[in-house]
Amino acid sequence: MIKIWLDDMRPAPDGWVHCKTIEPVKAYLEQGIVETMSLDHDLGICEKCCEGLTTDEWLIKHQFKSMPHCSHFGTGYDLVCWMEENNMWPVHKPHVHSANPVGAAKMRIAIDKQYE
């Protein structure tokens, strides 16, 4: 069994598998080998979608109104919705470590329903 750390910026704790996008997480869940997870919401933006800017430049251009992310990377909430739709959950309740309060709240609501 493995522990998944989903985050594009923060390093994974020792002993955790570090995933920066949602696709590898889905693959691990489909294998049925995930013990627990810690999830971020905002997972960055690919070069194609960032308009040729760095993350800092993108934030300035968009007046810090949102974190950059794109459908190519997905978000932690996209992953949780997929987990709900496919009934693919780790053994233990996932933790949400996102600094995005709105995204984190949406993720926790869906997770809490599964682990009542």
Side-chain angles (χ1 to χ4, degrees), residues 23-110:
E23 292 308 317
V25 180
K26 290 178 183 179
Y28 287 124
L29 286 165
E30 288 172 334
Q31 293 175 48
I33 59 171
V34 181
E35 176 185 348
T36 193
M37 305 162 67
S38 189
L39 307 173
D40 188 17
H41 181 274
D42 301 320
L43 298 175
I45 190 167
C46 73
E47 289 182 25
K48 179 180 176 183
C49 296
C50 73
E51 305 165 359
L53 305 173
T54 67
T55 302
D56 289 339
E57 291 167 338
W58 193 96
L59 288 168
I60 291 166
K61 180 180 177 181
H62 294 90
Q63 301 172 341
F64 295 89
K65 291 184 179 175
S66 66
M67 283 297 294
H69 59 271
C70 68
S71 61
H72 300 107
F73 285 179
T75 65
Y77 183 66
D78 293 332
L79 175 65
V80 171
C81 289
W82 178 88
M83 292 163 57
E84 257 185 327
E85 292 167 7
N86 294 280
N87 197 29
M88 297 269 178
W89 296 94
V91 175
H92 301 291
K93 182 179 178 177
H95 173 75
V96 177
H97 65 259
S98 177
N100 177 329
V102 174
K106 289 178 13 180
M107 292 167 65
R108 287 186 184 106
I109 289 166

